[in-house]
Amino acid sequence: MSKTRVALVGAGFIADIHAESYHRFVPDAEVVAVYSRTESHARAFAERHGIPHWSTALDESVARDDYDVADICLPNHLHARMTIAAASAGKHVILEKPLCLTLDEADAMIAACKANNRKLMYAEELCFAPKYERVRQLVREGAIGSIYYMRQCEKHSGPHSDWFYDLDRSGGGALMDMGCHGFAWFRWMLGPEARPLTVYSTMQAGLIHPTRTRCEENALSIVEFQGGAVGIVENSWAKLGGMEDRVEVCGTGGVVYADLFMGNSALTYSEKGYGYAMEKAGSTQGWTFTTFEEAFNQGYPQELRHFIACVRDDTEPVTTGEDGRTVLEMLNAAYHSARIGQKVALPFRPTVSKPIDLWLGP
Amino acid sequence: MSKTRVALVGAGFIADIHAESYHRFVPDAEVVAVYSRTESHARAFAERHGIPHWSTALDESVARDDYDVADICLPNHLHARMTIAAASAGKHVILEKPLCLTLDEADAMIAACKANNRKLMYAEELCFAPKYERVRQLVREGAIGSIYYMRQCEKHSGPHSDWFYDLDRSGGGALMDMGCHGFAWFRWMLGPEARPLTVYSTMQAGLIHPTRTRCEENALSIVEFQGGAVGIVENSWAKLGGMEDRVEVCGTGGVVYADLFMGNSALTYSEKGYGYAMEKAGSTQGWTFTTFEEAFNQGYPQELRHFIACVRDDTEPVTTGEDGRTVLEMLNAAYHSARIGQKVALPFRPTVSKPIDLWLGP
Amino acid sequence: MSKTRVALVGAGFIADIHAESYHRFVPDAEVVAVYSRTESHARAFAERHGIPHWSTALDESVARDDYDVADICLPNHLHARMTIAAASAGKHVILEKPLCLTLDEADAMIAACKANNRKLMYAEELCFAPKYERVRQLVREGAIGSIYYMRQCEKHSGPHSDWFYDLDRSGGGALMDMGCHGFAWFRWMLGPEARPLTVYSTMQAGLIHPTRTRCEENALSIVEFQGGAVGIVENSWAKLGGMEDRVEVCGTGGVVYADLFMGNSALTYSEKGYGYAMEKAGSTQGWTFTTFEEAFNQGYPQELRHFIACVRDDTEPVTTGEDGRTVLEMLNAAYHSARIGQKVALPFRPTVSKPIDLWLGP
Amino acid sequence: MSKTRVALVGAGFIADIHAESYHRFVPDAEVVAVYSRTESHARAFAERHGIPHWSTALDESVARDDYDVADICLPNHLHARMTIAAASAGKHVILEKPLCLTLDEADAMIAACKANNRKLMYAEELCFAPKYERVRQLVREGAIGSIYYMRQCEKHSGPHSDWFYDLDRSGGGALMDMGCHGFAWFRWMLGPEARPLTVYSTMQAGLIHPTRTRCEENALSIVEFQGGAVGIVENSWAKLGGMEDRVEVCGTGGVVYADLFMGNSALTYSEKGYGYAMEKAGSTQGWTFTTFEEAFNQGYPQELRHFIACVRDDTEPVTTGEDGRTVLEMLNAAYHSARIGQKVALPFRPTVSKPIDLWLGP
């Protein structure tokens, strides 16, 4: 059986991780094309990863018939348009988080994929991160009884790309960027029967990027689930010292703690410094937590491999457009909550054009 | 100069820690009497610690003139009565947390000590825990810039004594018992200019003590402070595996993490188990985190030494009745918030007879 | 290009890891046969891993022409015979550690592979463990200056299979079993120019398996290298609490610490226990260090993938029969040293029939 | 009962720690005088610690009758002379490690104290470090069965004072300076019945202080004890990144790990740095391990308090001159071993004038 052909739509930080992950860990797929709106990015990316075709023509690209899967790694505001175009052109779609900017867009994306009988995977890598999956399995096994509390933190000192800081393209700040991970992961841990009931959030802006963005730089969000469990998500673009991604789970029969970055690292002291310690780490002089196989430990290869298998075997991805839509609804509720100082009940269907408007006002 | 004479009022878990702390680390004090409502407790305590006098007559005790300081380690509902009685009889008072059950009580206690020109110390040991004090000093030094986020967790599997679970005597559960630590510590970290503005809380009951108490067993509470900092306090009576007391502080120039129990421990694997690993630890077979000098590491000796010095030098304690009152106000706001699902603004002066009524209804 | 066909020769603990590693991470290989001297093992193994052919006829197996690579996972005393047979029959050979029992065997194995123009890989997975490889790369980058000290520990409570404890089949105990890892890894870290000059070792027996074996259960071995670096290897079959594999490296410009098991784990407290925490862990009640992707983190898939690539591309493996031979020479020197209480200079060519005879006497 | 009067003989790094420890934790003692050969040191020290008398007349000082205890914190080559002078003048002596430079000196010191009926304490603070004492107690309790292996590391980037690097005044390098801790601590852990039988050592010089000293900068030393236990001591003056002091203990029923510095610290990331992280730490920018109560955690106050109690109660210290003598004998054996490449049996009585001569030649 021949390889499944993938086009990477986007050539930024996360597209690099996807390309590397396909290459090293997804033997049934081959990346045949890369698209970027910036010619130099597209060309350099194609060269770096040995991809035969590159182009800046995002919209026309979907008309080509030389690939099967569109892997969309674009800024958030382009997610809906590209997903719908790709699905309409008969491509399966795997899409980086968050799903899109509005619930209307979400519904249209899901409908387009359904109408064209194409698969839509919402790429939540935390559902594939092997350490977190180990945690989930032992919880499923009953190791810690019934979950009543979860915490998921994802914090760093701010994204590399400009578009994250531009609320029209991103739709929001640290919560929009990373809160989606925690919200999705809680649902993955609790299973589908545990609907999110309410969301409360508090947000802070102007911490270390005051001139660069009006977006929230730090957010604490509490979710209450049917069945009684509570989850707290902590997200920051103002946390110095490198990437933080960790979880705590408390149950009636025990607890589990897991840390994806510091918790998998070698501990290094270097007088003169070295090339790279971890994502968003600053200086490498002095003590650093040196990570390894970051993409693997975060679950990217496993996620992509899963989707390629879904496409080849015609099965449903474990994280679908509907999951992405629910997460987006929770994000909206969080922004609204941060404005009104109250927890917000779900379902919640605001009419704003991007989530952060619910906090800042349109 | 002769030693300052202390009477321990109470003979439970925390009184034991105080007695040991005076003995080993406060050479200017001597414990001359112990009071407990239960005769066997009082007698055994006096024998265990070599205290010359013991009695069950709590109220009469304050009339005796053979001591200078009443160190009150009683259940919460007795705090106000005993403090007022002791101060009126000319004793200086140091009082275990929380201050009392109502703001009226708090005001009366503060007034009684003022009227009698007696010192009242609110014994918040986290303001003296040496690792946390190290953290505070380096923050003061500017090591991490301006604080925008703090987290303090205190969690275990539930207190030893029955009265904690009886909401009429305790006034509340895990938050009342331990949330006071985080609330006080945030204020200590930020300094007096940073008034608490709002409190939000979410609570859970019936987790692992469903037949023993209606009190909250798990609580997450978010405090917003003047100046923009946010603190989250996490408290649990349902966290298995031993005591947890840790903090995270994020500032615009860095972060600090500190852990008082696991973070000071030796790591032990014992096939057959041994006597004691840490407060509220379960079995000592398998892996355990073996703590040492728990009282010292939590700040009890330093706290008591500070108060004895205040009495001897006629200076003000760093944590006063007013501090305890503010913390109590925050606790009240947290319970009310948990009921209404909104953050509650301070000042907040409810008229209930105990904080948990604001959540459960009277 | 079709897949490279592999026969697993052996069906024990390590063969399981190899089979899983090929299946999940080495797409260019397929395991087509498994051999074990025990019929039930061979059959069950084949079923478990979906391998089409199984047999108990180890020696005849090499005459079959339906595979290209013999992956030898047998007890140590069978390594030489099977390697020579396989190479003579035209198979490439990858061989689990240690290389064999005597230097004569080693020379014959290397010669047989050379004579038949077959590749021989000495499967030292620590040279592929991704965390250790990260350490090696940063050392190569100059992060910690010149290495002057290394420590590598591999310790657990003893192997599962009986043959390890039988010195005629194993050739030695904890050092023979696991000291080979440290010796090989030091050479990998320092590079080929740093020849091992001397070995000193001290050994202990009768610790927790006194009735099961006369082999050493604990060994400390110090190696001096040309250029001045020193390495210490610590190995144990008497270390309770699960697998330990960790390294420390000190250089003139810094240090690195890395831990493959505890240092990659989630930390779990389980009242009732659960299925599996890590290799050789005991009970899973109480606190445990829950590992994930153990084979990947130890480097097995990467090692096998490397050898398959060597076979397909006709390149030399990074760890060859010669490397295994040098490690065996160091093991011999260690046993001799433990007997005489002196460091033993290399080259060292004893005439015993197995290394442990140098310590215990033949 | 009046306070016991102490004279500090020496005004360097360790004398500062002693002075602070007496002041904060030893209420029964008062430091009444300080002696230093350097006038400015003596004066500044006295001012810093509020000590009423200072002087540069070391030898004359012992004739004064205004103190009871001489606490000797001088360079190693002065230990014997000052101890003998102080004891002869009727002072009790507590002496910083190592005991002295030769076994003849040791015997004379012990004899002088005996003859004058004065107490001599060998100040090994690791026997009082509270975390290590906790470890010792649980081992005594049987938590880990019979000890068969111990490891103690003390490593940093080199002492502050010049005399350490001058082998005539120090008698040796990293091993002389810090190996004494491990040797003493092993004996403390195993109890008096476990005599040290042999010592093996390997040493390295010229690592990061090649122009400053000929002393060994890194040493690994293995001790075999009667009863079969083995201990390894690792010492370095070439370990960057701050002080390391940690232990591992393996028994037939379990293991314990303890770390006095990193293992008691807060973890800090500071962009701009701060004043002090830990002993011998370098820059405080980036990640650091921030220690607290270093003297207390290393056992200095407890050690001094113990000796003052011994003096007041006329009891024997737990670590005596004889203990210091045995450690010195082990140090001698280690240096000799490093020269000859063999383990050296005890008793061992060389005739050199300082231990390092056994390695370097006189």
Side-chain angles (χ1 to χ4, degrees):
Chain A
M1 190 172 167
S2 64
K3 297 197 174 200
T4 300
R5 298 161 303 166
V6 176
L8 276 170
V9 189
F13 178 77
I14 197 70
D16 254 322
I17 293 174
H18 283 218
E20 181 208 344
S21 295
Y22 283 116
H23 177 64
R24 295 185 52 211
F25 294 106
V26 193
D28 287 336
E30 59 183 329
V31 179
V32 297
V34 58
Y35 296 91
S36 168
R37 290 161 301 160
T38 309
E39 182 175 329
S40 60
H41 292 179
R43 189 191 311 114
F45 193 99
E47 277 168 21
R48 193 159 65 244
H49 294 287
I51 299 172
H53 179 71
W54 63 265
S55 165
T56 59
L58 264 61
D59 289 307
E60 296 156 34
S61 71
V62 298
R64 296 174 62 107
D65 62 358
D66 55 359
Y67 67 92
D68 317 297
V69 167
D71 181 338
I72 299 176
C73 298
L74 293 169
N76 303 343
H77 69 300
L78 301 174
H79 284 192
R81 192 178 86 200
M82 279 308 300
T83 298
I84 292 166
S88 305
K91 312 304 184 195
H92 300 289
V93 176
I94 178 166
L95 179 66
E96 265 297 326
K97 55 82 198 168
L99 193 68
C100 50
L101 295 192
T102 71
L103 293 171
D104 286 348
E105 285 182 351
D107 290 337
M109 291 159 74
I110 293 167
C113 291
K114 282 233 170 76
N116 291 280
N117 199 24
R118 296 293 88 183
K119 299 197 182 295
L120 172 58
M121 179 166 178
Y122 176 64
E124 177 47 64
E125 77 271 10
L126 291 196
C127 301
F128 296 89
K131 186 185 273 189
Y132 287 175
E133 270 305 275
R134 189 73 190 80
V135 167
R136 194 175 70 101
Q137 286 157 18
L138 68 84
V139 169
R140 286 286 156 113
E141 225 183 299
I144 64 162
S146 297
I147 294 177
Y148 65 82
Y149 163 91
M150 289 175 288
R151 179 187 188 226
Q152 197 272 340
C153 294
E154 195 158 322
K155 306 185 179 188
H156 56 58
S157 56
H160 306 296
S161 299
D162 282 336
W163 67 262
F164 284 93
Y165 299 90
D166 171 2
L167 44 77
D168 288 319
R169 286 185 281 170
S170 61
L175 178 79
M176 188 77 181
D177 181 23
M178 301 187 291
C180 47
H181 292 304
F183 289 161
W185 185 76
F186 291 163
R187 297 181 66 239
W188 181 236
M189 287 295 290
L190 293 173
E193 61 284 358
R195 280 198 310 111
L197 299 179
T198 70
V199 181
Y200 179 83
S201 192
T202 184
M203 294 179 183
Q204 295 164 288
L207 298 176
I208 67 170
H209 307 288
T211 59
R212 192 171 191 191
T213 189
R214 293 168 59 213
C215 289
E216 78 282 3
E217 294 180 34
N218 198 58
L220 307 181
S221 308
I222 297 174
V223 187
E224 294 174 315
F225 288 91
Q226 199 164 31
V230 164
I232 177 156
V233 182
E234 304 196 9
N235 303 110
S236 189
W237 283 355
K239 209 282 299 176
L240 298 167
M243 185 75 179
E244 171 180 329
D245 197 317
R246 47 181 161 174
V247 300
E248 300 182 24
V249 188
C250 294
T252 53
V255 295
V256 200
Y257 307 102
D259 182 324
L260 288 195
F261 283 76
M262 280 190 180
N264 284 346
S265 64
L267 180 60
T268 304
Y269 184 88
S270 173
E271 228 171 20
K272 55 174 283 213
Y274 59 103
Y276 178 85
M278 67 161 65
E279 190 183 332
K280 274 103 182 178
S283 162
T284 55
Q285 287 184 294
W287 288 106
T288 47
F289 297 84
T290 315
T291 56
F292 66 97
E293 288 287 10
E294 278 189 13
F296 183 89
N297 279 322
Q298 289 178 92
Y300 290 106
Q302 298 87 337
E303 161 198 284
L304 297 173
R305 190 168 178 145
H306 171 72
F307 186 58
I308 296 303
C310 289
V311 166
R312 293 170 77 90
D313 305 339
D314 193 16
T315 56
E316 268 307 280
V318 299
T319 49
T320 62
E322 282 78 4
D323 292 305
R325 189 199 181 283
T326 300
V327 167
L328 181 63
E329 187 189 12
M330 296 166 80
L331 291 171
N332 275 296
Y335 282 104
H336 187 52
S337 168
R339 182 180 188 94
I340 65 172
Q342 304 179 21
K343 63 186 179 187
V344 171
L346 303 179
F348 175 68
R349 184 160 191 132
T351 54
V352 288
S353 63
K354 56 185 180 297
I356 199 172
D357 288 352
L358 291 160
W359 179 48
L360 292 179
Chain B
M1 192 171 167
S2 64
K3 296 195 174 201
T4 300
R5 297 161 306 168
V6 175
L8 277 169
V9 190
F13 178 77
I14 197 70
D16 254 323
I17 292 173
H18 283 216
E20 181 209 345
S21 295
Y22 283 118
H23 178 64
R24 294 185 53 211
F25 293 106
V26 193
D28 288 336
E30 61 184 328
V31 178
V32 297
V34 61
Y35 297 91
S36 168
R37 289 159 303 160
T38 309
E39 183 175 328
S40 59
H41 291 178
R43 189 193 310 114
F45 193 99
E47 278 169 19
R48 192 159 67 245
H49 294 288
I51 298 172
H53 179 70
W54 62 265
S55 166
T56 60
L58 264 60
D59 290 309
E60 296 156 34
S61 72
V62 300
R64 296 176 59 108
D65 62 358
D66 55 358
Y67 67 93
D68 317 298
V69 166
D71 180 338
I72 299 176
C73 298
L74 293 169
N76 302 344
H77 70 299
L78 301 172
H79 283 191
R81 193 179 86 200
M82 280 307 300
T83 297
I84 292 165
S88 304
K91 312 303 184 197
H92 299 289
V93 176
I94 179 167
L95 179 66
E96 265 295 328
K97 55 83 200 167
L99 193 69
C100 51
L101 295 191
T102 70
L103 293 171
D104 286 348
E105 284 182 352
D107 291 336
M109 291 160 74
I110 293 168
C113 290
K114 282 233 170 78
N116 291 281
N117 198 24
R118 296 294 86 182
K119 297 194 184 301
L120 172 57
M121 179 166 176
Y122 177 65
E124 176 47 64
E125 76 272 8
L126 290 196
C127 301
F128 296 90
K131 187 185 273 187
Y132 288 175
E133 270 304 276
R134 188 75 191 80
V135 167
R136 194 176 69 102
Q137 287 158 19
L138 68 84
V139 169
R140 285 288 155 115
E141 227 183 299
I144 64 162
S146 297
I147 294 177
Y148 65 84
Y149 164 91
M150 290 175 289
R151 180 187 187 225
Q152 197 272 338
C153 294
E154 194 158 322
K155 306 186 180 188
H156 56 59
S157 57
H160 306 296
S161 299
D162 281 336
W163 68 261
F164 283 92
Y165 300 89
D166 172 2
L167 45 77
D168 288 320
R169 287 186 282 171
S170 62
L175 179 78
M176 187 76 181
D177 181 22
M178 299 187 293
C180 48
H181 291 305
F183 289 161
W185 186 75
F186 291 163
R187 296 182 66 240
W188 181 236
M189 287 294 289
L190 293 173
E193 61 284 357
R195 281 198 310 111
L197 300 179
T198 70
V199 181
Y200 179 83
S201 193
T202 183
M203 295 180 183
Q204 295 165 289
L207 299 176
I208 69 170
H209 308 288
T211 61
R212 194 172 190 189
T213 191
R214 295 168 57 214
C215 288
E216 79 281 4
E217 294 180 35
N218 198 59
L220 307 181
S221 308
I222 296 173
V223 188
E224 294 174 315
F225 288 91
Q226 199 163 30
V230 164
I232 177 156
V233 182
E234 304 197 8
N235 303 109
S236 188
W237 282 356
K239 207 283 298 177
L240 298 167
M243 185 75 177
E244 172 180 330
D245 196 317
R246 47 181 161 174
V247 300
E248 301 182 23
V249 188
C250 296
T252 51
V255 296
V256 200
Y257 307 102
D259 182 323
L260 288 196
F261 283 76
M262 281 189 179
N264 285 344
S265 64
L267 180 61
T268 304
Y269 184 87
S270 173
E271 226 172 22
K272 56 174 286 214
Y274 60 102
Y276 177 85
M278 67 160 65
E279 192 183 330
K280 273 101 183 180
S283 161
T284 55
Q285 287 184 294
W287 288 106
T288 47
F289 297 84
T290 315
T291 57
F292 66 97
E293 289 287 11
E294 278 188 13
F296 183 88
N297 279 322
Q298 288 179 92
Y300 290 106
Q302 299 87 336
E303 161 198 286
L304 299 172
R305 190 169 179 146
H306 171 71
F307 187 58
I308 296 303
C310 289
V311 166
R312 295 169 77 90
D313 305 340
D314 193 17
T315 55
E316 270 306 282
V318 299
T319 51
T320 63
E322 282 78 3
D323 292 305
R325 189 198 181 283
T326 300
V327 167
L328 181 63
E329 187 189 14
M330 295 166 81
L331 292 170
N332 275 294
Y335 283 105
H336 186 53
S337 167
R339 184 180 187 92
I340 64 172
Q342 305 180 19
K343 63 185 178 186
V344 171
L346 302 179
F348 175 67
R349 186 159 190 132
T351 54
V352 289
S353 64
K354 55 185 181 299
I356 199 173
D357 288 353
L358 291 161
W359 179 48
L360 292 179
Chain C
M1 191 173 169
S2 64
K3 297 196 175 202
T4 299
R5 297 162 304 167
V6 175
L8 276 169
V9 189
F13 178 77
I14 198 69
D16 254 323
I17 292 173
H18 283 217
E20 181 209 344
S21 295
Y22 283 116
H23 177 64
R24 294 185 54 211
F25 294 105
V26 193
D28 287 337
E30 60 183 329
V31 178
V32 297
V34 60
Y35 297 91
S36 168
R37 289 160 303 161
T38 310
E39 182 175 328
S40 60
H41 291 178
R43 189 192 310 112
F45 193 98
E47 277 168 21
R48 192 159 66 246
H49 294 288
I51 299 171
H53 179 70
W54 62 265
S55 165
T56 60
L58 264 60
D59 289 308
E60 297 156 32
S61 72
V62 299
R64 295 176 61 107
D65 62 358
D66 55 359
Y67 65 93
D68 317 299
V69 167
D71 179 340
I72 299 176
C73 299
L74 293 169
N76 303 343
H77 69 300
L78 302 173
H79 284 191
R81 192 179 86 200
M82 280 307 301
T83 297
I84 293 165
S88 304
K91 312 303 183 195
H92 299 290
V93 176
I94 179 167
L95 179 66
E96 264 297 325
K97 55 80 201 169
L99 192 69
C100 52
L101 295 192
T102 69
L103 293 171
D104 286 347
E105 284 183 352
D107 291 336
M109 291 160 74
I110 293 167
C113 292
K114 281 233 170 78
N116 292 281
N117 198 24
R118 296 294 86 183
K119 299 196 182 297
L120 171 58
M121 178 167 178
Y122 176 64
E124 176 46 65
E125 76 270 11
L126 292 195
C127 301
F128 296 90
K131 186 185 274 189
Y132 288 175
E133 270 305 275
R134 188 73 190 81
V135 167
R136 194 175 68 102
Q137 286 157 18
L138 66 85
V139 169
R140 286 287 155 113
E141 224 184 301
I144 64 163
S146 296
I147 295 177
Y148 65 84
Y149 164 90
M150 290 176 288
R151 180 188 188 224
Q152 197 272 340
C153 293
E154 193 157 323
K155 305 185 181 190
H156 56 57
S157 57
H160 306 296
S161 299
D162 281 336
W163 69 262
F164 284 91
Y165 300 90
D166 172 2
L167 44 78
D168 288 321
R169 285 186 283 169
S170 62
L175 178 79
M176 186 77 181
D177 181 21
M178 300 187 292
C180 48
H181 291 305
F183 289 161
W185 185 76
F186 291 162
R187 296 181 68 240
W188 181 236
M189 286 295 290
L190 293 173
E193 61 283 357
R195 280 198 310 112
L197 300 179
T198 71
V199 181
Y200 179 83
S201 192
T202 184
M203 297 181 181
Q204 296 164 288
L207 299 175
I208 68 170
H209 308 287
T211 61
R212 194 172 191 191
T213 190
R214 294 169 58 214
C215 289
E216 78 283 4
E217 295 180 33
N218 198 59
L220 307 180
S221 308
I222 296 174
V223 188
E224 295 174 315
F225 288 91
Q226 199 164 30
V230 164
I232 177 157
V233 182
E234 304 196 8
N235 303 110
S236 190
W237 282 355
K239 209 283 298 177
L240 298 167
M243 185 75 178
E244 171 180 330
D245 196 317
R246 46 181 161 174
V247 300
E248 301 182 23
V249 188
C250 295
T252 52
V255 296
V256 200
Y257 307 103
D259 182 324
L260 288 195
F261 283 76
M262 282 189 177
N264 285 345
S265 66
L267 179 61
T268 304
Y269 184 87
S270 173
E271 227 172 21
K272 54 174 287 216
Y274 60 102
Y276 177 85
M278 67 160 68
E279 190 183 332
K280 274 101 181 178
S283 162
T284 55
Q285 287 184 293
W287 288 105
T288 46
F289 297 84
T290 315
T291 56
F292 66 97
E293 290 286 10
E294 277 188 14
F296 183 89
N297 279 321
Q298 287 178 92
Y300 290 106
Q302 298 88 337
E303 161 197 285
L304 298 172
R305 189 168 180 147
H306 171 72
F307 186 58
I308 296 303
C310 290
V311 166
R312 295 168 77 89
D313 304 341
D314 193 17
T315 55
E316 269 307 281
V318 299
T319 51
T320 63
E322 281 78 4
D323 292 305
R325 189 199 181 282
T326 300
V327 167
L328 181 62
E329 187 188 15
M330 295 165 80
L331 292 170
N332 276 295
Y335 283 104
H336 187 53
S337 168
R339 184 180 188 92
I340 64 171
Q342 305 180 19
K343 61 185 180 189
V344 171
L346 302 179
F348 175 68
R349 183 155 192 135
T351 55
V352 289
S353 64
K354 54 186 181 298
I356 199 173
D357 288 353
L358 291 161
W359 179 49
L360 292 180
Chain D
M1 189 171 168
S2 64
K3 297 196 173 199
T4 300
R5 297 162 304 168
V6 176
L8 277 169
V9 189
F13 178 78
I14 197 69
D16 255 322
I17 292 173
H18 282 218
E20 181 209 343
S21 295
Y22 283 116
H23 177 63
R24 294 186 52 211
F25 293 106
V26 192
D28 288 338
E30 59 184 330
V31 178
V32 297
V34 60
Y35 297 91
S36 168
R37 289 160 302 161
T38 309
E39 183 176 327
S40 59
H41 291 179
R43 188 191 311 113
F45 194 99
E47 277 168 21
R48 193 159 66 244
H49 294 288
I51 299 171
H53 179 71
W54 63 265
S55 166
T56 59
L58 262 61
D59 290 307
E60 297 156 34
S61 71
V62 298
R64 296 175 61 108
D65 63 357
D66 55 358
Y67 67 93
D68 316 299
V69 167
D71 181 339
I72 298 176
C73 298
L74 293 169
N76 303 343
H77 69 300
L78 301 173
H79 283 193
R81 193 179 87 199
M82 279 308 300
T83 297
I84 292 167
S88 304
K91 313 304 184 194
H92 299 290
V93 176
I94 178 167
L95 179 66
E96 265 296 329
K97 56 80 197 168
L99 193 69
C100 51
L101 295 193
T102 70
L103 294 170
D104 287 346
E105 284 182 351
D107 291 336
M109 291 159 74
I110 294 167
C113 291
K114 281 233 169 78
N116 292 280
N117 199 25
R118 297 293 85 183
K119 300 195 181 300
L120 172 57
M121 178 165 178
Y122 177 64
E124 177 45 66
E125 76 271 9
L126 290 196
C127 301
F128 297 89
K131 185 184 274 188
Y132 288 175
E133 269 305 275
R134 189 74 191 82
V135 167
R136 193 176 69 102
Q137 287 158 19
L138 67 84
V139 169
R140 287 285 156 113
E141 226 183 299
I144 63 162
S146 297
I147 294 177
Y148 65 83
Y149 164 90
M150 291 175 288
R151 180 188 188 225
Q152 198 270 340
C153 294
E154 195 158 321
K155 305 186 181 187
H156 56 58
S157 56
H160 306 297
S161 299
D162 282 336
W163 67 261
F164 284 92
Y165 300 89
D166 171 2
L167 44 78
D168 288 319
R169 286 185 282 170
S170 62
L175 178 79
M176 187 78 181
D177 180 23
M178 301 187 293
C180 47
H181 291 304
F183 289 160
W185 185 76
F186 291 162
R187 296 181 67 239
W188 181 236
M189 288 294 291
L190 293 173
E193 60 283 358
R195 279 199 312 109
L197 300 180
T198 71
V199 181
Y200 179 83
S201 192
T202 185
M203 296 180 181
Q204 296 164 288
L207 299 175
I208 68 171
H209 307 287
T211 60
R212 193 172 190 189
T213 190
R214 294 169 58 214
C215 288
E216 78 282 4
E217 294 180 34
N218 198 59
L220 307 181
S221 308
I222 297 174
V223 188
E224 294 174 314
F225 288 91
Q226 198 163 33
V230 164
I232 178 158
V233 182
E234 304 196 8
N235 303 109
S236 190
W237 283 355
K239 209 281 300 173
L240 298 168
M243 185 76 178
E244 171 180 330
D245 196 318
R246 48 181 161 174
V247 300
E248 301 182 23
V249 188
C250 295
T252 53
V255 295
V256 200
Y257 307 103
D259 182 325
L260 289 196
F261 283 77
M262 280 190 179
N264 285 344
S265 65
L267 180 59
T268 303
Y269 184 88
S270 173
E271 228 172 19
K272 55 174 284 212
Y274 60 103
Y276 179 84
M278 68 160 65
E279 190 183 332
K280 273 103 182 176
S283 163
T284 56
Q285 287 184 294
W287 288 105
T288 47
F289 297 85
T290 315
T291 56
F292 66 97
E293 289 286 10
E294 278 188 14
F296 183 90
N297 279 322
Q298 287 179 91
Y300 290 107
Q302 298 88 336
E303 161 198 285
L304 298 173
R305 189 169 179 146
H306 171 73
F307 186 58
I308 297 302
C310 289
V311 167
R312 294 169 77 89
D313 305 339
D314 194 16
T315 55
E316 269 307 280
V318 299
T319 49
T320 63
E322 281 78 4
D323 292 305
R325 189 198 181 283
T326 301
V327 167
L328 181 62
E329 189 189 12
M330 296 165 80
L331 291 170
N332 276 295
Y335 283 104
H336 187 53
S337 168
R339 183 180 189 92
I340 65 172
Q342 306 180 19
K343 64 185 178 187
V344 170
L346 303 179
F348 176 68
R349 184 155 192 136
T351 54
V352 288
S353 63
K354 54 186 183 296
I356 199 173
D357 288 352
L358 292 160
W359 179 49
L360 292 180

